[in-house]
């Protein structure tokens, strides 16, 4: 057909999008936009009731709303995948080499401390807002890598690897923050039960149990015990993941097989559903004063300013002091662009925001506004900087770059 080349030219970018790193990030943008639209539409009450309406009395079971099942139940899968990814990176990945992990670990620490400091400087004067200090400390891997994916091969591989590794270390820090700072009153009997189940899973690893079903059953029991212990239930996902054996007796990787089996469900169901359930904010009655209130301003500033300043300063000083070198073959403007992208804090930031202000719906909504605003600014600004500064020769060979 005569028009086949035209059709292919039109379809090609969309096909490339679905098989590139960009799709997950674009999906999260679409989900957030859909949540905001629905939360401010004629069906806003139905949206709220769907996720927050009681399914049964809380005395029957503490997870008595769909929102709680998503945040405390389904998100355990997200944290399980994070745990698998962290263990793989520590054993055979970029974090296994001391030389390779020095820079991203230092950068991630600085990239968590600086946003927390910026947040505290802006909102720390109000005691009821102090608990939100960790909201801008996390980077969303899928979102950030999605923006990089939109640039194709313009972004050099060492810089992509640096961003990915920083985001993984960032996730480790976020998990530690949740475990230490957002733990409710401890119920000793359930905590002991959690420790015993975790011990049993470690023992299964030691005696080389290499079938997945015993671990799945034990992980569900561990989640139930942790849920009732006062420690946030999603921590069970990370702990369970760390007990999964790296290899089977036949030499195949049990951990990687599980990770590959879950990563699609995690990326295309768990995280989007979490985003849709948590990103919706009713803007009715909110004007500029509300949008520039201390909480949203502190969160957005922490993401946009704190992240890039903290990470870039750390990388620059580490390079100049010969502690660790910046990514090979990358210019300082390119490094700066990736540091800006680290200010995208969608999933973990929304999660921590829910934990920071329990029972305070207005503060949670204000935190969401700051997260969405800061993440959007970081995504756009980072894309522009990288688009203007990355001029690598292989970009002309990228079939997915719509500009080429």
């Amino acid at each position: 057909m005569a028009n086949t080349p035209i059709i292919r030219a039109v379809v090609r970018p969309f096909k490339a999008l679905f098989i590139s790193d960009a799709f997950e990030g674009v999906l999260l943008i679409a989900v957030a936009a859909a949540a905001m639209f629905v939360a401010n539409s004629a069906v806003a009450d139905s949206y709220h009731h769907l996720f927050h309406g009681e399914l049964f009395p809380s005395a029957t079971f503490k997870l008595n709303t769909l929102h709680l099942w998503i945040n405390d139940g389904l998100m355990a899968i997200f944290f399980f995948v994070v745990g698998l990814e962290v263990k793989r990176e520590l054993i055979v990945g970029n974090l296994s080499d001391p030389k390779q992990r020095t820079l991203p670990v230092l950068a991630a620490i600085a990239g968590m401390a600086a946003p927390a400091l910026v947040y505290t400087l802006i909102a720390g004067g109000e005691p009821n807002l102090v608990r939100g200090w960790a909201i801008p400390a996390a980077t969303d891997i899928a979102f950030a890598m999605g923006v990089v994916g939109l640039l194709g091969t313009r972004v050099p591989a060492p810089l992509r690897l640096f961003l990915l590794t920083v985001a993984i270390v960032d996730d480790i820090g976020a998990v530690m923050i949740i475990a230490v700072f957002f733990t409710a009153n401890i119920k000793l009997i359930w905590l002991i039960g959690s420790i015993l189940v975790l011990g049993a899973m470690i023992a299964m690893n030691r005696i080389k149990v290499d079938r997945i079903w015993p671990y799945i059953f034990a992980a569900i029991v561990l989640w139930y015990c942790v849920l009732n212990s006062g420690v946030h239930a999603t921590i069970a996902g990370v702990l369970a993941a760390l007990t999964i054996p790296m290899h089977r007796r036949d030499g195949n990787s049990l951990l990687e097989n599980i990770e590959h089996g879950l990563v699609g469900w995690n990326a295309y169901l768990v995280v989007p559903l979490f985003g849709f359930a948590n990103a919706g904010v009713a803007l009715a009655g909110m004007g500029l004063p509300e949008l520039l209130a201390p909480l949203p301003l502190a969160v957005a500033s922490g993401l946009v300013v704190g992240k890039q300043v903290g990470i870039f300063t750390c990388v620059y000083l580490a390079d100049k002091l010969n502690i660790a070198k910046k990514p090979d073959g990358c210019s300082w403007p390119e490094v700066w662009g990736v540091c800006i992208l680290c200010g995208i804090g969608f999933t973990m930031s929304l999660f921590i925001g829910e934990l920071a202000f329990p029972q305070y719906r207005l503060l949670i909504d204000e935190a969401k506004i700051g997260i969405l605003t800061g993440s959007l600014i970081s995504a756009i600004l980072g894309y522009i900087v990288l688009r203007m500064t990355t001029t690598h020769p292989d970009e002309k060979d990228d079939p997915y770059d719509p500009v080429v």
Side-chain angles (χ1 to χ4, degrees):
M1 295 176 62
N3 62 344
T4 298
I6 299 176
I7 295 175
R8 287 178 178 171
V10 173
V11 171
R12 186 178 175 187
F14 293 97
K15 181 180 179 181
L17 174 63
F18 278 86
I19 63 175
S20 71
D21 292 334
F23 181 65
E24 291 181 28
V26 173
L27 177 61
L28 290 184
I29 295 173
V31 165
M36 289 294 291
F37 174 80
V38 172
N40 291 276
S41 70
V43 297
D45 289 341
S46 299
Y47 169 81
H48 180 80
H49 181 74
L50 172 65
F51 292 110
H52 296 279
E54 289 193 357
L55 303 173
F56 40 77
S58 58
T60 304
F61 188 59
K62 65 188 302 181
L63 303 186
N64 66 330
T65 67
L66 183 57
H67 184 264
L68 287 174
W69 272 106
I70 292 171
N71 284 29
D72 291 14
L74 199 60
M75 281 298 283
I77 298 175
F78 168 82
F79 280 87
F80 183 74
V81 174
V82 168
L84 293 174
E85 187 175 48
V86 167
K87 183 172 182 177
R88 174 175 52 77
E89 289 293 329
L90 288 171
I91 295 176
V92 297
N94 303 314
L95 297 178
S96 64
D97 185 344
K99 292 183 179 180
Q100 286 188 331
R101 68 174 175 239
T102 299
L103 183 62
V105 168
L106 292 175
I109 293 172
M112 298 185 79
L117 177 60
V118 170
Y119 176 96
T120 303
L121 290 175
I122 296 175
E126 300 189 25
N128 61 325
L129 301 183
V130 173
R131 280 177 58 86
W133 64 271
I135 296 173
T139 296
D140 191 283
I141 296 178
F143 212 144
M145 293 303 294
V147 174
V148 170
L150 290 173
L151 291 160
T153 57
R154 295 177 67 94
V155 181
L159 207 53
R160 289 170 179 258
L161 186 60
F162 171 75
L163 173 60
L164 180 62
T165 311
V166 168
I168 291 171
V169 178
D170 205 301
D171 276 350
I172 298 174
V175 169
M176 294 176 64
I177 288 172
I178 293 169
V180 175
F181 295 99
F182 297 106
T183 294
N185 296 325
I186 296 296
K187 296 180 180 178
L188 189 58
I189 187 67
W190 286 107
L191 183 61
I192 293 173
S194 302
I195 294 172
L196 291 176
V197 176
L198 181 62
M201 296 185 73
I202 294 173
M204 288 193 297
N205 181 302
R206 294 292 186 182
I207 63 176
K208 301 188 183 305
V209 174
D210 60 1
R211 297 181 68 84
I212 183 56
W213 293 111
Y215 290 100
I216 291 178
F217 175 76
I220 294 172
V221 176
L222 177 63
W223 169 82
Y224 186 79
C225 290
V226 173
L227 175 68
N228 289 282
S229 71
V231 179
H232 198 272
T234 52
I235 299 302
V238 177
L239 295 176
L242 296 179
T243 69
I244 302 298
M246 188 68 195
H247 296 290
R248 283 191 166 108
R249 290 188 180 92
D250 61 7
N252 292 321
S253 176
L254 177 62
L255 185 146
E256 290 185 0
N257 289 343
I258 297 173
E259 184 182 357
H260 292 160
L262 288 177
V263 69
W265 291 98
N266 195 49
Y268 303 127
L269 176 63
V270 175
V271 174
L273 186 55
F274 168 81
F276 186 70
N278 287 274
V281 181
L283 300 177
M286 287 193 179
L288 192 59
E290 287 77 16
L291 296 177
L292 295 178
L295 180 54
L297 184 61
V299 172
S301 299
L303 289 171
V304 177
V305 179
K307 273 289 185 181
Q308 62 172 296
V309 170
I311 295 176
F312 185 82
T313 301
C314 178
V315 174
Y316 185 81
L317 291 177
D319 184 82
K320 297 305 178 184
L321 297 175
N322 290 319
I323 298 173
K325 290 298 180 182
K326 68 180 175 69
D328 293 336
C330 303
S331 66
W332 284 113
E334 291 171 343
V335 173
W336 176 45
V338 163
C339 292
I340 297 172
L341 289 185
C342 289
I344 301 173
F346 188 76
T347 308
M348 279 292 195
S349 294
L350 287 174
F351 194 84
I352 294 175
E354 291 279 344
L355 298 179
F357 305 113
Q359 312 304 321
Y360 292 95
R361 198 73 246 162
L362 177 60
L363 293 182
I364 292 175
D365 285 347
E366 287 187 357
K368 289 178 183 178
I369 292 172
I371 294 166
L372 295 173
T373 302
S375 298
L376 184 61
I377 293 174
S378 296
I380 295 173
L381 183 59
Y383 178 88
I384 292 173
V385 170
L386 287 172
R387 185 76 207 184
M388 294 176 62
T389 60
T390 49
T391 54
H392 291 263
D394 57 352
E395 69 175 298
K396 65 179 180 297
D397 297 322
D398 179 19
Y400 302 144
D401 190 340
V403 175
V404 175

